[in-house]
Amino acid sequence: MGWGDFTAADGLVIAMLVVMFLAMGVVALLFLTIRRSAARRNHEVEDLLDELSAEENAPHSAPVIPENRAAASEPWERDGDWWKS
């Protein structure tokens, strides 16, 4: 079987195998890159993220709503029903 015996179908099979091996190689390189970058991760950033999540999960006190809302408003704020007058 020499080079003259190959058909178009044989070329298609070989091209498909090359594409498949290249795709698997790209996936393997991505996996190795992710693994390498995870090994070099900064532990201070991880500690900061843990601290922020602990602050978010901490119970917060309920907001204080003043009884006299008009007295608690800023001078530049309008009354809630200003459009009725």
Side-chain angles (χ1 to χ4, degrees), residues 6-20:
F6 285 114
T7 63
D10 295 332
L12 181 64
V13 169
I14 291 171
M16 187 60 70
L17 286 173
V18 168
V19 169
M20 287 174 46

Side-chain angles (χ1 to χ4, degrees), residues 32-80:
L32 291 174
T33 304
I34 290 170
R35 189 172 172 193
R36 192 177 96 196
S37 67
R40 293 188 304 172
R41 186 172 179 177
N42 192 349
H43 296 290
E44 293 174 358
V45 173
E46 191 171 328
D47 294 340
L48 180 62
L49 290 174
D50 290 341
E51 181 181 334
L52 288 174
S53 66
E55 286 179 5
E56 287 178 357
N57 294 335
H60 298 289
S61 62
V64 177
I65 301 173
E67 291 182 25
N68 187 359
R69 188 158 175 83
S73 64
E74 296 291 328
W76 53 267
E77 291 180 340
R78 287 188 178 178
D79 212 11

